Amino acid sequence: MRACISLVLAVLFGLAWADLYSAPTSCEGRCYEAFDKHHQCHCNARCQEFGNCCKDFESLCSGHEGFSHSSDAITKEEIQSISEKIYRADTNKAQKEDIILNSQNCISPSETRDQVDRCPKPLFTYVNEKLFSKPTYAAFINLLNNYQRATGHGEHFSAQELAEQDAFLREIMKTAVMKELYSFLHHQNRYGSEQEFVDDLKNMWFGLYSRGNEEGDSSGFEHVFSGEVKKGKVTGFHNWIRFYLEEKEGLVDYYSHIYDGPWDSYPDVLAMQFNWDGYYKEVGSAFIGSSPEFEFALYSLCFIARPGKVCQLSLGGYPLAVRTYTWDKSTYGNGKKYIATAYIVSST
């Protein structure tokens, strides 16, 4: 099941592929340049996602982010420490017996564009749906049908749908996971009160912006957790609960995976290929078996501490990198940026 881990790790961390690249050049002076197919290795914003970064990308292009003043910066060690606390606090996660996963065929990264279904059976053989009666799961699931997946169509929320956003935030803030995150960020002088924190979460995740031609057709929550379709391709869709529910309805067809994480309990990580009701997802990374508050907390932590950058976490003693992107075309509050996306880019 984990036979392809070593190969994929080499890709995810941007190491040279002997069969594809030779003598990668440096990212010196090239950080976040535009993609150029003629280059042997790359330093653009998405090179880690596609596994074609130059060897020194991490050291040259992923410095300390967060507040601009060093006295306010959140260090890598602090992020790893709080992510371990959040990991231990996730008591709502699935237990081993709650999920039976059938990951089937592991393919090489060079095969992800083939759009070939190499797995005849569903990804999820069994899920204990009693999990979904837990307050945070139920509140999360209520949000998933509030969106039109095609970009370019404006989102218009009813009073009930707006109330469901507030209900979700209210439920997750009762959990130890989110209490750990707020305590950490409060200590870091990012938020003066819990209400200020919740208000900011609502804006950054649920605030609408235009990803297509229609005003207010997207949000960070819709993109990351529910999924979207843009220019004939699936974008976002990084949530296992959404995947399971859509697969159960026959709307998701699991094709293959390129990475299965090292964790022997939940949450685990899977990077997979699938078809979502006629549209293909080339690589979709997702936590498996985590609670909604766990994912929401880690992605929020990374967006606040490393906005638009790679964020180095530690979960159960294993490193994990999450990449976030800011939405730069519009802002809220006093110039704050919305979440454009957040997803897992690497692990060992």
Side-chain angles (χ1 to χ4, degrees):
M1 185 168 168
R2 305 183 192 275
C4 61
I5 286 180
S6 60
L7 170 62
V8 175
L9 289 179
V11 174
L12 289 172
F13 280 105
L15 300 178
W17 304 352
D19 57 335
L20 296 178
Y21 302 104
S22 61
T25 55
S26 173
C27 280
E28 184 72 36
R30 296 174 54 204
C31 288
Y32 302 107
E33 67 179 7
F35 175 79
D36 186 334
K37 66 180 181 180
H38 300 295
H39 288 168
Q40 293 178 333
C41 67
H42 302 278
C43 308
N44 62 82
R46 301 187 69 187
C47 70
Q48 289 189 307
E49 178 183 355
F50 290 98
N52 54 17
C53 299
C54 296
K55 287 184 176 181
D56 55 7
F57 174 82
E58 188 75 20
S59 61
L60 294 181
C61 303
S62 298
H64 282 318
E65 267 62 57
F67 280 14
S68 57
H69 300 292
S70 60
S71 60
D72 294 319
I74 299 176
T75 67
K76 176 181 176 181
E77 290 72 24
E78 288 171 329
I79 292 174
Q80 291 176 331
S81 176
I82 183 58
S83 59
E84 284 287 0
K85 290 181 180 179
I86 289 171
Y87 178 80
R88 292 192 295 271
D90 189 17
T91 56
N92 277 338
K93 67 183 179 181
Q95 302 303 307
K96 283 186 177 182
E97 62 271 18
D98 289 327
I99 298 175
I100 299 175
L101 207 65
N102 187 5
S103 57
Q104 301 167 77
N105 279 329
C106 177
I107 65 172
S108 70
S110 63
E111 297 175 288
T112 59
R113 295 183 181 179
D114 295 348
Q115 300 192 33
V116 175
D117 186 355
R118 295 177 172 87
C119 297
K121 296 182 180 179
L123 173 62
F124 288 96
T125 300
Y126 168 77
V127 171
N128 180 4
E129 293 194 5
K130 289 182 179 179
L131 287 169
F132 301 157
S133 65
K134 293 185 176 185
T136 59
Y137 284 80
F140 174 81
I141 291 170
N142 283 341
L143 296 171
L144 297 178
N145 65 353
N146 293 349
Y147 300 98
Q148 302 181 71
R149 69 174 184 173
T151 59
H153 298 275
E155 302 289 357
H156 303 284
F157 298 125
S158 66
Q160 178 180 340
E161 289 169 341
L162 291 172
E164 287 171 352
Q165 295 174 6
D166 292 331
F168 172 69
L169 292 170
R170 187 166 56 250
E171 289 299 334
I172 65 172
M173 287 306 300
K174 296 176 184 177
T175 67
V177 163
M178 292 301 290
K179 290 184 184 299
E180 285 282 3
L181 178 60
Y182 169 68
S183 177
F184 172 76
L185 294 172
H186 178 68
H187 180 74
Q188 294 286 337
N189 298 315
R190 298 305 175 96
Y191 298 98
S193 69
E194 185 172 304
Q195 190 58 54
E196 180 189 0
F197 177 50
V198 172
D199 290 344
D200 198 35
L201 289 175
K202 184 171 183 179
N203 280 312
M204 73 171 68
W205 279 105
F206 294 102
L208 294 174
Y209 47 81
S210 178
R211 209 180 281 265
N213 298 322
E214 183 77 17
E215 188 68 26
D217 69 342
S218 184
S219 69
F221 184 91
E222 176 183 7
H223 182 84
V224 173
F225 294 104
S226 184
E228 296 179 302
V229 172
K230 183 177 181 180
K231 297 181 179 180
K233 295 181 179 180
V234 177
T235 63
F237 202 135
H238 298 290
N239 179 257
W240 75 270
I241 299 170
R242 174 67 159 167
F243 190 102
Y244 166 73
L245 293 174
E246 292 290 275
E247 186 177 61
K248 182 181 177 182
E249 294 297 318
L251 298 175
V252 161
D253 185 2
Y254 172 66
Y255 278 16
S256 56
H257 70 283
I258 62 168
Y259 174 73
D260 185 358
W263 295 270
D264 58 7
S265 62
Y266 298 115
D268 203 347
V269 172
L270 197 69
M272 51 197 163
Q273 295 69 51
F274 59 90
N275 184 294
W276 184 24
D277 198 20
Y279 298 95
Y280 184 63
K281 180 70 173 180
E282 186 175 333
V283 180
S285 59
F287 289 105
I288 304 293
S290 56
S291 69
E293 61 266 29
F294 175 82
E295 295 179 53
F296 198 81
L298 289 186
Y299 291 147
S300 298
L301 167 66
C302 286
F303 186 74
I304 293 165
R306 297 287 187 271
K309 303 294 182 182
V310 174
C311 176
Q312 303 289 345
L313 306 175
S314 179
L315 303 177
Y318 294 101
L320 183 79
V322 164
R323 176 66 197 251
T324 66
Y325 283 91
T326 60
W327 186 257
D328 297 331
K329 296 180 181 179
S330 57
T331 60
Y332 68 91
N334 188 23
K336 288 191 172 184
K337 296 180 179 180
Y338 300 102
I339 292 178
T341 190
Y343 54 86
I344 302 161
V345 292
S346 61
S347 170
T348 58

